[in-house]
Amino acid sequence: MLQIKLFTVNPIQENTYVVSDETKEAVIIDCGCFTEREWKTVKDYIEDQHLRPVHLLNTHLHFDHCLGNRFAVRDYHLLAEAAMADYDLYSGMQAQAAMFMGNYYASHIDTDFTAQLAPALKEGDAIHFGSHTLTVIATPGHTPGGICFYCQAENVLFSGDSLFSGSIGRTDLPGGSFRDLITSISSKLLTLPPSTTVYTGHGPATTIDDEIKCNPYL
């Protein structure tokens, strides 16, 4: 059975997840920690639970979802895993942060991010940890390389900023496409079992059934 721990971090209130099972292997999804203090809270949980992180995953590479990758790279020697279509966003991390949070925050971001990337993830890839598998679902639209992680065995989806409770990711940023995002959600996510729990990149969790019934964008 999966243990899913949520940490809401950084000024954008992003959801970082540590996901583990009975084997104590774990994955870190969308590590958005901005400060050492935020990262210490995540790391303390990992150590208290005696977990061993084996993957550092990103649903997309907007700065608020991967600010903390540098800490996981440093402390657990992991490489960030994401879709290749978002790699340009990674190298432009400071510019992203400056646009949303100002130059003070941007100046505190490590610029050597591109050296920390693992081979790119793509549709259908299987990510193994412990006794569980996450399958990559490509959902471009919020960003060109947006992806979700689906655990069929546990009926759980990590949607990043593709799908929210009652909403969808914004598409007015560079590389965004409303048409692509709606197509991605409709054809790839709403076809999952209705009882699937959706852990989102911001805000509360939801279910596929609730979004089919209540999401005004869908």
Side-chain angles (χ1 to χ4, degrees):
M1 183 175 180
L2 289 181
Q3 287 79 51
I4 300 170
K5 179 66 173 178
L6 163 66
F7 302 87
T8 300
V9 297
N10 74 46
I12 312 297
Q13 296 292 281
E14 180 267 347
N15 291 338
T16 291
Y17 297 96
V18 176
V19 184
S20 60
D21 68 12
E22 68 281 355
T23 70
K24 297 300 184 180
E25 287 194 345
V27 297
I28 303 170
I29 300 177
D30 286 351
C31 190
C33 302
F34 178 65
T35 65
E36 286 278 1
R37 177 175 292 183
E38 287 181 338
W39 172 244
K40 184 178 185 301
T41 302
V42 176
K43 189 176 180 182
D44 284 349
Y45 169 78
I46 291 171
E47 294 181 353
D48 289 345
Q49 298 297 312
H50 306 290
L51 303 180
R52 182 168 69 89
V54 294
H55 289 284
L56 175 61
L57 306 176
N58 284 107
T59 60
H60 64 294
L61 292 177
H62 278 154
F63 76 100
D64 55 318
H65 288 256
C66 52
L67 281 167
N69 282 357
R70 65 194 190 275
F71 300 126
V73 169
R74 180 193 68 196
D75 292 346
Y76 297 115
H77 309 291
L78 300 173
L79 295 178
E81 301 173 55
M84 184 175 291
D86 271 9
Y87 279 14
D88 286 345
L89 291 173
Y90 216 44
S91 58
M93 192 78 58
Q94 281 191 319
Q96 289 186 54
M99 180 171 63
F100 283 92
M101 299 194 303
N103 290 329
Y104 170 79
Y105 288 100
S107 67
H108 286 73
I109 294 176
D110 180 1
T111 58
D112 188 25
F113 274 91
T114 53
Q116 302 170 357
L117 289 166
L121 296 174
K122 61 185 183 303
E123 173 82 17
D125 279 353
I127 299 161
H128 303 288
F129 69 103
S131 61
H132 287 81
T133 299
L134 298 175
T135 301
V136 175
I137 301 175
T139 54
H142 177 62
T143 64
I147 55 179
C148 299
F149 303 108
Y150 177 55
C151 181
Q152 183 177 13
E154 302 269 352
N155 211 19
V156 164
L157 178 78
F158 296 91
S159 66
D161 286 3
S162 292
L163 180 64
F164 297 128
S165 175
S167 189
I168 61 173
R170 60 187 297 181
T171 57
D172 59 331
L173 300 173
S177 167
F178 180 80
R179 177 180 294 180
D180 287 351
L181 184 56
I182 294 298
T183 298
S184 295
I185 294 171
S186 299
S187 64
K188 304 270 188 79
L189 303 186
L190 300 189
T191 55
L192 296 173
S195 60
T196 300
T197 300
V198 181
Y199 291 94
T200 63
H202 301 269
T206 183
T207 66
I208 292 297
D209 188 51
D210 284 347
E211 298 315 303
I212 290 173
K213 292 177 178 176
C214 303
N215 194 310
Y217 292 92
L218 305 175

